[in-house]
Amino acid sequence: MCKPKVGVYALTSCYGCQLKLATVSKILEISEAVSFESFYMLSSASTMAPDVEVAFVEGSVSTEKDLEELHEIRKHSKILVALGACSVNGGVQSWAEGDKKVSDLHATVYGTSKIDAAPLQATPISKHVKVDYYLPGCPPEEDEILYFISAFLFGTFPEPKDFPVCSECRMAGNPCILIERGEPCLGPVTTAGCKARCISHDVPCIGCRGPVPHNTSWFDSLASVFKAKGMSRESVRARMRIFGAHEPNLEGHLDKIYGGTK
């Protein structure tokens, strides 16, 4: 039986998404169904970009080396999946996009020390190559990982979630910590799939699964609620940019609610 060839690659990241994939409960069964051609978390003998049917790529493009590797991965992959928050949305390391120079950020972290990899402003991989599917999360949920792999094995495709964490929170029966307590919860504009885990533990959503796709994010409505709760534009902007700095409509929505003043 011919097994689909799969590659799992990492750019700049914490490797948490690879670790999550390597530790899903059915990883041994998956290993019998597919051929992992490259997966550093499972084998140090892996190479960067052999030809594969499906490539899972975690991490953001944060160095020139990342960019070179990403182009090689794309060239050798029939299907490319952005794996996790850094790959899908740039991750927390991209929060300074458009606000601070990468040279200043580099100097803040490394001072005058020299490192081998020339730094770039952290960006999602879709800024540089065609991405076929997006698997969000920090890290992605196990059931979603299994769904993606199953879909590819059956020769179909995984459908994205286009509804927010807020709906999962309602179904979980949680009290609304935004309305009832005035907490800066981003559940209404964040892509669902986590089953409102943080909110169910009384922690406001910080949006780690990224903005709801298809340009259906209601940032202006949520910003309006935040403003009514007495939150400043800068505090709202800072919170929405933790995982949403690359959301193209964010600044426009904030301008609409706060009158275009930063």
Side-chain angles (χ1 to χ4, degrees):
M1 179 178 178
C2 183
K3 298 180 180 179
K5 295 179 179 178
V6 174
V8 183
Y9 307 100
L11 307 177
T12 295
S13 64
C14 69
Y15 276 49
C17 296
Q18 275 201 76
L19 179 61
K20 184 67 180 182
L21 178 52
T23 57
V24 297
S25 59
K26 295 183 182 298
I27 187 63
L28 293 180
E29 295 174 44
I30 293 171
S31 297
E32 293 177 357
V34 306
S35 175
F36 285 115
E37 300 296 307
S38 180
F39 196 163
Y40 286 90
M41 191 64 72
L42 296 184
S43 172
S44 59
S46 297
T47 57
M48 175 44 65
D51 291 326
V52 295
E53 272 76 43
V54 182
F56 290 91
V57 181
E58 77 158 337
S60 64
V61 175
S62 300
T63 67
E64 291 184 359
K65 182 171 180 288
D66 284 338
L67 187 56
E68 293 172 5
E69 291 180 352
L70 178 60
H71 282 297
E72 281 298 303
I73 293 167
R74 177 70 273 187
K75 187 165 63 177
H76 292 277
S77 308
K78 292 181 180 177
I79 296 173
L80 191 150
V81 180
L83 178 68
C86 297
S87 183
V88 174
N89 297 111
V92 293
Q93 61 268 39
S94 72
W95 67 270
E97 167 76 8
D99 281 0
K100 293 186 178 182
K101 294 180 179 177
V102 67
S103 57
D104 293 337
L105 294 170
H106 185 270
T108 300
V109 176
Y110 297 104
T112 58
S113 300
K114 301 294 183 182
I115 61 174
D116 293 335
L120 297 173
Q121 171 61 57
T123 50
I125 65 172
S126 60
K127 289 269 187 178
H128 308 282
V129 298
K130 177 180 180 291
V131 174
D132 299 297
Y133 301 102
Y134 297 88
L135 179 44
C138 185
E141 299 293 320
E142 178 165 327
D143 62 342
E144 289 189 301
I145 293 173
L146 295 175
Y147 167 60
F148 268 61
I149 293 175
S150 299
F152 295 136
L153 284 173
F154 281 107
T156 181
F157 59 90
E159 293 190 61
K161 288 185 171 66
D162 58 0
F163 55 93
V165 170
C166 197
S167 62
E168 294 183 318
C169 187
R170 298 293 82 207
M171 288 188 286
N174 298 319
C176 182
I177 58 178
L178 167 61
I179 301 301
E180 297 182 20
R181 293 190 351 224
E183 298 278 357
C185 183
L186 295 187
V189 297
T190 300
T191 305
C194 61
K195 301 177 180 60
R197 178 181 294 111
C198 293
I199 309 168
S200 297
H201 286 84
D202 210 26
V203 176
C205 175
I206 61 171
C208 74
R209 292 179 57 83
V212 179
H214 309 310
N215 203 26
T216 55
S217 299
W218 305 285
F219 282 98
D220 54 345
S221 297
L222 184 59
S224 180
V225 174
F226 283 163
K227 183 180 181 182
K229 297 288 184 183
M231 299 176 205
S232 69
R233 173 187 173 120
E234 273 312 301
S235 66
V236 173
R237 181 175 184 270
R239 189 165 185 84
M240 288 184 170
R241 284 175 59 88
I242 297 173
F243 287 96
H246 292 277
E247 164 58 41
N249 298 316
L250 177 56
E251 299 297 340
H253 286 315
L254 292 176
D255 288 346
K256 177 181 175 183
I257 301 304
Y258 285 91
T261 55
K262 293 185 178 180

